[in-house]
Amino acid sequence: MTDLSFFHTPGSVAVIGASDNPDKIGGRPIEYMTTLGYRGALYPVNPSRPMIQGLPAFGSVDSLPEVPEVAVVAVPGQAAVDAVETCARLGVRGCVVMSSGFGETPDPDGRRCQEEMLRAARRTGMRIVGPNTQGLASFGSGAVLGFSTMFTELPPADGPVAVVSQSGAMCSVPYGVLRRRGVGVRYAHATGNDADVSAAELAAAVVADPAVRLLVLYLEDIRHPAAVEELADVATSRGVPVVALAGGRSAGGRRAAASHTGALANETRVVDAFFERLGIWRARHSADLTAAVDLYLQGAAQPRSPAAGEQGLAIVSNSGAICVLAADAAADHDLDLATFTTHSRERLGAALPAFAATANPVDVTAALMTDSSLFGKVLPVIGADPGVDACVVGIPVAGRGYDVATIAADVRAFAQDSGVPVAVAIAQPDVGAVFRDAGLAVFDDEGAAVAALAQVRRHGEIAAAAPGRGRLSTRRPGASVHTLDEADSLAALAALGLATVAATRCADADAAVAAFDALGGVPVVVKGCTAAITHKSDLGLVRLGLTDAEEVARAARDVVDIMARNGVAEGAVLVAPMVRGALEVMVGAHLDPSFGPVVVLGAGGTGVEAVPDVRVLLPPFTAADARAAVASLRMAPLLGPVRGDAAADVDAWVDMAVRLGREMVRPGSRIASVDANPVMLHRGVGAGAVAVDALVLVDGGAEL
């Protein structure tokens, strides 16, 4: 990664294709920079006009009095390519190519032109933003190298938030939301095709700015995870939270292998795991990008101190209904309510009317209308309680008859003095404006307030856990893979130290009976053993609980016949003891085209794809990371002691996941994909976990 700060504070800018009309793409950058305080040299380039927007115009870049540091390209097609080549030849440091019709289209000529630009730039080290970019806007310096209409609709103001997006629209939308809310935006960058400078690379340069305290990021794809890792490193070093929205399934994510794991570790889950690993909060919708901005700017995403002990949310309102609804919302977001100390409840009782509720939630009642000092009496008590680490203040009704200014001042004093993050829920816009003007985080209702607090708290937790996890492996899928049959797959897992069922490959029914006898007549499973069929149960190739030789022989003949009817002439039969009395879980791994090694664990059995309950881990990871993933599963309550049964041996399951993770990043490993499903997880300390079905794909030839 190179230093990109020259895009933010260029000493000189040329606009190639400059227009005298400020409503044209080539006119907007000039109008913005002449009105928003840009102090460098500005050179309009247009051979048809001597003057443009009051500035002398030049016929070509070659005729400029100096080589500009940055050039904005607003001419189409081949003219854009020619302009980029000229800039590279002259020694321009960077080009912002706003022109469209290049790599974003299926037109081969457009793609060829984009490649020509890149080749020209690489010869001299010049960097390109775009093409097909809305442009870059640095409001701290006034260097607005773009054409967004949003800057005319909502005038810019420098501030602590940066917006970086591959999409022009998803740069303008968050900018507009923030400016309507009165939040200053220091950068609003849209990178377009990311042919050279990526959104992540530019975002890393933005986050390095000491004036930036929050980054809002939109990525349409993650072609280069290492650039996002670099961004996260810079953000972590500066303590800047990153809230990101990314696309769901990419073409790479849909290229699932023949295994379950490829489907379970889809692009959405892998990106979730990637962002969490880096301490980045993944937004689900465009509104989520800015929903909690005010809380972030209050520092609410800072991780809690472990010495603080058990803490939770406090709720205060002048409405009993809001107290109830806020408590329900807290439960929805897995936020515990704080338990006040006896001393705090006594102090609250002394401050409130006798009929008010002093437990959490605190209902100060409609008495607030006649005594606007009630919040000022109650909130300091709550702020001093050691069990409180966040607070929702709900005021559904205020206005005439209420001293709103006093109430807002009291809430602001509480937020400042206690250091407790405060989210204020106010439905009346005019009342909410008073609280916003006081610097408070205001939401339309208690649900939104609680959701935002839950977000920043969880974000603080993942950010605290992110440092030290290391970079992702560079292993990627090979050009070809070979599928092992189940017997060889189980052997491959056993070689890695995973416990597997004692299965025997048998050529025919007689051999299957011999294997059954050798097991001592215990109930067995008979399965077809072939690499050609991966979903065996769908074709009736799995027979369970067989207890005598005749059943085993008949089952063996049946599965051989079924395989033959499905074109498998060389299929064998697998005989293994039944494993009972355990939970069915799964563990798997595969190589993602973008992110490399991926490990999946979760609930197992035949319904694993229909109703998935899985978590994705990106190695390298620790046993603690795997345990945390297990604890987050919906099935997690089943893993503890249940009706007299001992807790499941989660450590054995975790060990399987860790061993797979190590193998997937090991230099020289040929394992491309693993499915162990089901893994029979036994109850009791040291009881273990056993893989009873496995499918392994390896890179390259047939032998592992």
Side-chain angles (χ1 to χ4, degrees):
M1 296 176 68
T2 58
D3 178 18
L4 300 176
S5 60
F6 60 85
F7 279 120
H8 300 148
T9 55
S12 54
V13 176
V15 179
I16 303 171
S19 172
D20 197 46
N21 184 345
D23 287 331
K24 298 290 186 181
I25 287 178
R28 285 275 172 81
I30 295 171
E31 182 191 41
Y32 286 146
M33 284 189 277
T34 55
T35 59
L36 294 176
Y38 174 65
R39 296 182 180 179
L42 182 56
Y43 301 117
V45 176
N46 187 325
S48 301
R49 290 177 175 273
M51 298 288 291
I52 290 180
Q53 296 187 43
L55 297 174
F58 298 83
S60 67
V61 181
D62 295 277
S63 63
L64 296 178
E66 62 175 315
V67 175
E69 192 166 16
V70 172
V72 177
V73 178
V75 291
Q78 187 60 45
V81 178
D82 296 341
V84 169
E85 290 178 338
T86 299
C87 288
R89 172 174 54 81
L90 292 174
V92 174
R93 296 186 68 183
C95 279
V96 178
V97 184
M98 300 190 300
S99 320
S100 301
F102 299 100
E104 77 278 7
T105 73
D107 181 4
D109 286 339
R111 295 176 180 272
R112 175 188 55 78
C113 286
Q114 180 167 299
E115 287 302 315
E116 287 183 20
M117 291 183 197
L118 291 178
R119 284 195 295 271
R122 286 166 182 158
R123 284 195 292 269
T124 63
M126 185 179 76
R127 302 305 305 272
I128 295 177
V129 174
N132 186 40
T133 174
Q134 181 178 276
L136 312 182
S138 305
F139 298 116
S141 67
V144 182
L145 315 175
F147 63 88
S148 175
T149 302
M150 192 64 73
F151 306 153
T152 64
E153 301 296 321
L154 294 161
D158 192 10
V161 181
V163 180
V164 179
S165 168
Q166 283 181 262
S167 157
M170 286 311 302
C171 175
S172 295
V173 168
Y175 168 88
V177 171
L178 293 168
R179 292 302 301 123
R180 280 190 292 272
R181 207 182 291 172
V183 178
V185 176
R186 188 165 180 82
Y187 300 102
H189 292 345
T191 60
N193 289 2
D194 279 23
D196 176 30
V197 176
S198 70
E201 188 179 359
L202 194 61
V206 160
V207 168
D209 185 337
V212 172
R213 292 165 48 206
L214 174 68
L215 171 66
V216 172
L217 179 66
Y218 175 76
L219 300 175
E220 293 185 340
D221 55 49
I222 304 177
R223 280 170 273 177
H224 306 292
V228 185
E229 290 178 306
E230 178 72 19
L231 158 64
D233 286 347
V234 178
T236 298
S237 69
R238 287 209 52 243
V240 176
V242 179
V243 180
L245 180 63
R249 295 177 181 267
S250 72
R254 290 193 296 269
R255 283 198 300 268
S259 64
H260 294 285
T261 303
L264 293 171
N266 64 38
E267 186 79 357
T268 296
R269 295 190 183 101
V270 175
V271 173
D272 283 345
F274 180 59
F275 281 172
E276 181 170 341
R277 178 187 184 85
L278 300 180
I280 294 172
W281 181 265
R282 186 178 187 183
R284 295 293 164 181
H285 308 285
S286 59
D288 295 343
L289 284 170
T290 54
V293 162
D294 295 320
L295 288 173
Y296 281 113
L297 297 180
Q298 289 180 9
Q302 297 303 315
R304 293 175 293 167
S305 169
E310 293 296 325
Q311 293 184 309
L313 175 70
I315 299 168
V316 186
S317 179
N318 61 331
S319 162
I322 298 302
C323 287
V324 171
L325 294 174
D328 288 346
D332 290 340
H333 291 280
D334 295 323
L335 289 181
D336 295 327
L337 295 186
T339 301
F340 297 151
T341 65
T342 302
H343 179 61
S344 294
R345 293 197 62 177
E346 290 172 349
R347 292 180 63 195
L348 289 171
L352 289 169
F355 50 86
T358 60
N360 190 19
V362 177
D363 178 9
V364 302
T365 75
L368 180 67
M369 184 173 182
T370 55
D371 184 359
S372 294
S373 68
L374 283 179
F375 277 122
K377 297 173 182 176
V378 165
L379 291 174
V381 176
I382 291 172
D385 192 290
V388 174
D389 72 344
C391 183
V392 169
V393 175
I395 307 176
V397 179
R400 183 177 177 181
Y402 293 81
D403 188 346
V404 173
T406 293
I407 298 171
D410 287 340
V411 177
R412 177 184 181 180
F414 162 61
Q416 292 178 335
D417 296 344
S418 68
V420 172
V422 181
V424 186
I426 300 178
Q428 296 167 278
D430 54 339
V431 176
V434 178
F435 284 76
R436 281 197 179 89
D437 290 344
L440 293 161
V442 179
F443 301 86
D444 291 338
D445 57 64
E446 69 289 337
V450 171
L453 280 172
Q455 173 179 326
V456 294
R457 174 190 279 187
R458 176 63 179 144
H459 194 172
E461 291 170 353
I462 66 171
R469 281 180 167 162
R471 294 298 181 94
L472 297 182
S473 167
T474 56
R475 277 196 76 203
R476 294 296 183 271
S480 63
V481 294
H482 174 77
T483 303
L484 304 183
D485 67 25
E486 186 172 349
D488 288 341
S489 294
L490 289 168
L493 296 187
L496 299 180
L498 278 68
T500 59
V501 69
T504 303
R505 183 195 278 112
C506 306
D508 52 30
D510 290 341
V513 171
F516 168 71
D517 291 339
L519 290 169
V522 299
V524 298
V525 180
V526 172
K527 296 189 277 188
C529 185
T530 172
I533 300 173
T534 56
H535 294 2
K536 295 184 289 293
S537 59
D538 294 348
L539 296 177
L541 293 176
V542 180
R543 308 299 170 87
L544 306 175
L546 307 181
T547 57
D548 62 58
E550 184 178 342
E551 286 182 316
V552 170
R554 184 166 54 250
R557 288 191 292 268
D558 285 348
V559 298
V560 169
D561 288 344
I562 292 172
M563 287 189 289
R565 291 197 300 271
N566 283 274
V568 180
E570 303 297 328
V573 174
L574 204 67
V575 177
M578 282 284 294
V579 180
R580 299 181 182 276
L583 290 165
E584 291 190 357
V585 297
M586 64 81 61
V587 63
H590 81 143
L591 293 175
D592 183 270
S594 297
F595 298 95
V598 171
V599 172
V600 182
L601 50 73
T606 57
V608 68
E609 287 182 83
V611 189
D613 179 19
V614 298
R615 283 295 304 272
V616 169
L617 292 161
L618 301 182
F621 57 84
T622 65
D625 294 328
R627 287 191 196 94
V630 169
S632 70
L633 295 169
R634 294 193 302 275
M635 70 169 296
L638 299 177
L639 301 172
V642 178
R643 295 188 175 181
D645 290 337
D649 188 2
V650 171
D651 286 346
W653 186 17
V654 163
D655 181 68
M656 285 185 166
V658 171
R659 288 176 184 271
L660 273 185
R662 288 173 182 163
E663 175 62 22
M664 295 302 290
V665 300
R666 181 179 65 82
S669 174
R670 288 186 52 220
I671 292 183
S673 178
V674 171
D675 268 309
N677 177 41
V679 171
M680 308 307 287
L681 182 61
H682 295 286
R683 293 188 178 274
V685 177
V690 180
V692 298
D693 196 346
L695 176 68
V696 173
L697 280 65
V698 296
D699 281 326
E703 298 298 327
L704 181 60

